[in-house]
Structures are given as structure tokens and as C-alpha cells.
Amino acid sequence: MTPPRDAILALYNRIADLSHAAAILEWDQETYMPDGATPSRAHQIATLRRLAHEFATSDELRQALESLESYVREEPDDDFAAALARIGRRDFDRATRLPANFVAKLAETESRAKTAWRLAREANDFSRLRDDLEGIVDLNKEKAALLGFDDHPYDALLDQFEPGMTTAAVSGLFSDLRAELVPIVAAIAEKRDDRASLLRREFDPAKQWEIGERLIRQIGFDFNAGRQDLSAHPFCTSFSIDDVRITTRVDPDFIPSAFFGTLHETGHGLYEQGVDRRFERTPLADGTSLGMHESQSRMWENQVGRSRPFVDFVWPILTGAFAQLSGSGAEDIYRAINAVEPSLIRVEADEVTYNLHVMLRFELEVALFENRLEVRDLPHAWNEAMDAYLGVRPSGDAAGVLQDIHWSMGGFGYFPTYTIGNLMSAQLFERAAEEIADLDERIRRGRFDALLLWLRHNVHRHGRSKSAESILRDVTDRGLTAEPWLAYVRTKYSDLYDLDLR
Ligand code: ZN
């Protein structure tokens, strides 16, 4: 039988083109667009997104999908068609469960709340966001009901970002992890010092930018199929496998912000550039889950970027560019970039305390969706949770409940993927280090090709055709587990803080 691919591919190409065109407008909004263009840009993006949604829920697509499914029943060995049918069905069913009016109302509320969030954060005043956020939480409760769930409304929201993940699974994972982490954080706190101070000096922004571009080119980011620009919040987006955009921000008084932000977004970008070209302009050309995506960014940022071999490699470059570091040895820099300090802001948190920031957001989100917490009580609940998890208390809403954009964008269920990504990164890197001979030595010499090839082969090329769970099982012989990440943290920080954390 001839696969009925042409018909459905033509439809998917059209949807992909519209979505990518909208994504270009969104990228432009975050990088170069003048503020005055905000209202007209919102209309342009909404028009493209609405058109894409109409095509994605059309009868034409339903019929094409049904004939692809009957072909796959007869020819189950056609992997490409099978993956396309499976992902196509998932996307179609989810899209059609949300009525067009609901999608429009949610988009409008979110776009208003995004601005309200920015103003509330500037004014350090949660009350300016409260009404819009109440609207968003209500709409997300409705969304969970429309999407459907077996056990918990939050399952439906989680599943948008981490397919198949449940509230119960995340709760179990997080409570085990927290029990292990709290004593580690407490032991390190006893040994706190000012080792990070050498990073808090003036660093020429132009040189920071130049070093970042040099490093990510050497790592393997293809500038012929992507570029880097500046934005207020670093992100990665792609319009094609051949057009992947990453952004960063540069803090003139704190070098890790751009340095690790750039490595992080590069990890996302390498994933997007590494997807199998057969998947271009189809629903398969994307990361398989946000957790898997984050595993790629965190691996280059942490397992590679914050490692001793990487610091040995980058030390001559840094001391050559910045005279103020010339008195510091590689070991001083290694200790500085790995300083552990409970802090208020998630995106600036060290590797050890980072996951505690995620856990408290998960706890608050679940409480909201179980109707145990009201939006108006969020600032108080946030501050209490910060105290309980990290022993620090924000002095205002900007450094507390308002620090992240996600809730105003309706991203409930998103935060857990950050910790899931951290765990996956350690699980995958542990296996990579076993399979690649002399990985440390290669990194020390600035040779990243073997690791990138390993990731291309095991993770990137599959796009959405293979689930995160099957990637983990095929590569590491087990499903998601916190053990490799905990082992990594115990070994690394025992050494860094002269402790016995095992
Ligand atoms: Zn990320």
C-alpha cells in the first residue's frame, strides 16, 4: 500500500509554516521590536495562531489522520508513518478538546496578564497582577476539565509539557529528592564562604559576548543555521531545523549570567538543530518533552560548563580577556562558579538549591488546583514556603512570588519539568561518560564533538518520534530516576566543600 503521506504532510507543512511565522514575530517582539508595536503585533500573532488552530482541528486533517492510521495498522513497520500518526493523534485530540472561543479567551487573558506581570514586578506589588492571575487560574481549571484527566486536574496540565507525567509521580519524586537534599544544603551552609566574590566585578559586556559566541561555536552550535541575540529573558526558539535562535543577557557586574545563560540556551539550540531532517515542517520536528529539552540545556550548562575539565579549558581564555581574573587560578574559578548559597531567585540559584525553588512552585500550584489555596494568598504562602525550603524570606513580591513570568503566561504544570530535566541530564551524562572514552580529557582540550555526536544519536535526531521515557530506557536501561543526579551532587560537593556527603 502506498502510504497516504502526501496529503497529511501538505496539511502539517501548512500548520508548521503558520506556527513558525508566528514564532518569528514573537522572537522579534523579545529582541528588536519597538514597544509601540505591542498592540499591532498582538493582532498579527493572534491571527496566525488562530489560523494554525483552525487547520489543526479541521475535518480535512481528521480525515487525513484517519487514513494514515489505517495505513499504519497494515504497515506497522513504517516507523515514520507510525510516529507521525501517534503524535498527530495526540495533538489533534488535545486541540479539538479546546473550543476556539476558549483558546481565544485564554490567549487574550494571558497577553494582558503578561503586561500586568511586568508592571506589577516593576512596582513590587502583587495586587496589580491579582485579578488577571485569578482569571488565568480559573481558565486553567477549565482547561484541565476540557483536556480531561484520570486522577488529578493538575495531571492534564503537566501532560502538556511532559507527556505521561502525573502529579502523583512528581510528588513522589520530589519528596524523596527533598529528603536527600535538605541535609546536603544544611551541611554545605556550615561551610559557607565568599568564594564567589571574584565573579562579582566589572566585566566588559562586549568581551563577555565575544567569548560566549566563540565557546558556543566551538561546542558545535551551527551559526549557518542559527544566531544569537540579546533579550531581557534568555530563551531559545526555532523556525526550522535550519533556523534556530538563541538569546542571552549580559550583566556587566556578574559574569556567570551571560556565560552560563549562553551555554544553557546553546544546549536547547543544539537539540533543535539535531532533529532528523525528515521531520522538517511536521509535528515531529521538536523536542520530545520540556524535561528532555531542559536536560540538554542543563547538561551543557552544568555537567559540562561547571566541571573542572571545562574550567581548565576556559581558564586561559577568561584570564586572557579579563585582567581582573589574572591573579585567579583555574581552581579559584571552579570553586567560585560552584558556590552554594540559598538565595531568593530561581534562575540565579546554584545546582544544589535550584530544585528546592522548583519544588515550592509545584507545591503551590497543586494547592491552587486542589482549591486549598486562593490566588490572593499566594504572596504569603510563597514567603512561608521559601522560609521552609531555603531559610530565606523575600522582602517584597518582586524577589518573591512575582519573579517568574510563567504563571502570567498560564504555564501551570511547567515548573516541574525544570527538575525533571536536571535529573535526566545527570542520568544521560553518566552514561555518556561511560561510553565516550576520555570524555574529561576531551573537554579539557575543548573537543566537544564526541559528546555532541552521542547526544545527536541518542536524543536529538528522534525529535518527538520517541518519548522521553523510551529514550531514557534505551540509553540508560531504566526510567527517570534521581539517583545519578544525587550521586553527582554528593561527589562534586563533598570535594568542593571538604565534606563527606555520601
Ligand atoms: Zn532551559
Side-chain angles (χ1 to χ4, degrees):
M1 176 180 176
T2 320
R5 277 188 195 164
D6 289 355
I8 199 160
L9 284 178
L11 297 173
Y12 278 140
N13 291 170
R14 190 161 65 182
I15 296 166
D17 291 346
L18 286 166
S19 305
H20 288 144
I24 294 171
L25 296 181
E26 285 161 351
W27 168 85
D28 176 66
Q29 182 167 5
E30 301 296 324
T31 49
Y32 296 106
M33 190 191 85
D35 279 349
T38 305
S40 60
R41 182 57 52 91
H43 288 306
Q44 293 154 358
I45 292 170
T47 297
L48 290 172
R49 294 269 176 221
R50 191 179 56 241
L51 269 174
H53 187 262
E54 280 169 17
F55 288 131
T57 54
S58 65
D59 274 342
E60 210 181 354
L61 183 65
R62 184 176 49 74
Q63 285 160 14
L65 191 55
E66 282 166 1
S67 54
L68 183 67
E69 286 168 332
S70 60
Y71 162 75
V72 169
R73 278 191 290 275
E74 286 173 36
E75 303 283 346
D77 293 335
D78 186 335
D79 291 341
F80 178 69
L84 196 60
R86 194 179 67 254
I87 296 297
R89 173 55 64 189
R90 175 185 153 88
D91 290 354
F92 184 79
D93 286 351
R94 294 181 65 88
T96 49
R97 274 180 221 152
L98 303 177
N101 284 345
F102 177 82
V103 172
K105 192 172 170 198
L106 189 61
E108 192 203 314
T109 313
E110 286 168 359
S111 119
R112 209 175 47 226
K114 243 161 78 171
T115 306
W117 167 75
R118 192 161 49 78
L119 298 174
R121 187 163 168 250
E122 279 164 20
N124 195 18
D125 181 3
F126 178 77
S127 71
R128 298 193 186 199
L129 175 64
R130 190 179 53 215
D131 291 350
D132 283 319
L133 192 56
E134 277 170 355
I136 289 201
V137 169
D138 287 345
L139 284 167
N140 270 276
K141 286 178 179 172
E142 200 180 334
K143 188 183 197 183
L146 289 164
L147 289 172
F149 54 88
D150 289 332
D151 294 323
H152 199 289
Y154 192 75
D155 290 350
L157 304 176
L158 260 178
D159 182 70
Q160 303 175 94
F161 307 113
E162 200 62 31
M165 189 53 73
T166 64
T167 313
V170 174
S171 288
L173 195 65
F174 282 13
S175 67
D176 292 350
L177 191 58
R178 186 186 179 185
E180 302 275 348
L181 262 178
V182 167
I184 296 177
V185 173
I188 295 174
E190 299 274 307
K191 299 238 176 179
R192 251 173 83 175
D193 49 32
D194 69 343
R195 62 180 69 186
S197 60
L198 73 98
L199 306 172
R200 295 192 181 279
R201 297 175 185 175
E202 224 181 289
F203 293 95
D204 177 14
K207 282 188 189 167
Q208 290 194 51
W209 175 267
E210 201 181 297
I211 287 174
E213 290 228 325
R214 172 177 166 185
L215 289 179
I216 64 181
R217 182 172 276 115
Q218 186 154 353
I219 282 171
F221 184 80
D222 180 0
F223 277 93
N224 192 42
R227 52 178 288 135
Q228 179 173 244
D229 293 88
L230 286 170
S231 69
H233 303 279
F235 66 95
C236 170
T237 183
S238 73
F239 319 134
S240 156
I241 295 167
D242 293 324
D243 193 355
V244 176
R245 307 297 178 96
I246 57 176
T247 71
T248 196
R249 62 180 161 199
V250 181
D251 182 341
D253 301 310
F254 187 56
I255 193 170
S257 184
F259 190 88
F260 291 107
T262 299
L263 290 180
H264 180 102
E265 299 308 330
T266 299
H268 284 304
L270 292 171
Y271 192 178
E272 299 282 334
Q273 287 182 339
V275 172
D276 190 329
R277 304 199 58 84
R278 287 183 305 156
F279 299 163
E280 182 78 304
R281 294 172 83 209
T282 78
L284 301 178
D286 204 346
T288 190
S289 77
L290 285 192
M292 189 56 79
H293 232 304
E294 195 68 6
S295 80
Q296 299 307 296
S297 55
R298 295 291 277 179
M299 187 184 292
W300 289 100
E301 178 190 355
N302 294 330
Q303 269 86 5
V304 176
R306 291 181 205 270
S307 71
R308 216 175 235 127
F310 190 80
V311 173
D312 288 342
F313 155 64
V314 87
W315 176 75
I317 299 171
L318 289 176
T319 49
F322 301 110
Q324 62 272 45
L325 287 179
S326 59
S328 313
E331 188 63 16
D332 299 322
I333 294 177
Y334 175 65
R335 286 161 61 84
I337 59 170
N338 286 296
V340 176
E341 276 171 36
S343 60
L344 295 171
I345 307 294
R346 174 185 61 87
V347 293
E348 290 168 8
D350 57 82
E351 281 180 280
V352 181
T353 58
Y354 183 95
N355 293 311
L356 297 172
H357 290 263
V358 174
M359 288 176 200
L360 84 86
R361 285 156 176 77
F362 169 69
E363 192 175 282
L364 296 176
E365 289 187 354
V366 171
L368 281 171
F369 285 86
E370 286 180 353
N371 301 313
R372 289 185 285 111
L373 177 64
E374 299 288 338
V375 167
R376 66 170 174 274
D377 298 325
L378 264 177
H380 177 72
W382 181 284
N383 295 350
E384 292 291 309
M386 279 302 287
D387 211 350
Y389 274 94
L390 287 147
V392 291
R393 201 172 253 275
S395 58
D397 296 335
V401 68
L402 290 176
Q403 67 182 262
D404 283 319
I405 193 173
H406 305 57
W407 288 346
S408 64
M409 287 166 53
F412 291 94
Y414 191 122
F415 283 116
T417 67
Y418 287 136
T419 288
I420 291 168
N422 287 331
L423 305 183
M424 286 180 183
S425 73
Q427 196 172 337
L428 291 167
F429 193 76
E430 186 183 68
R431 181 50 62 99
E434 286 163 13
E435 292 185 359
I436 302 168
D438 305 325
L439 180 56
D440 277 0
E441 194 44 40
R442 284 169 185 272
I443 293 175
R444 192 167 282 118
R445 284 187 281 121
R447 294 286 307 277
F448 305 99
D449 48 347
L451 178 59
L452 181 56
L453 264 175
W454 189 92
L455 292 169
R456 288 266 189 266
H457 177 76
N458 288 298
V459 181
H460 300 172
R461 69 187 169 107
H462 299 300
R464 288 177 79 201
S465 74
K466 193 168 178 178
S467 71
E469 182 72 10
S470 13
I471 288 174
L472 288 177
R473 288 198 181 280
D474 285 355
V475 178
T476 71
D477 301 319
R478 52 182 173 171
L480 180 65
T481 162
E483 277 172 39
W485 187 82
L486 279 166
Y488 158 76
V489 162
R490 285 179 199 286
T491 308
K492 180 172 178 177
Y493 290 90
S494 287
D495 169 49
L496 272 161
Y497 279 92
D498 193 21
L499 286 163
D500 185 7
L501 296 167
R502 278 160 282 265

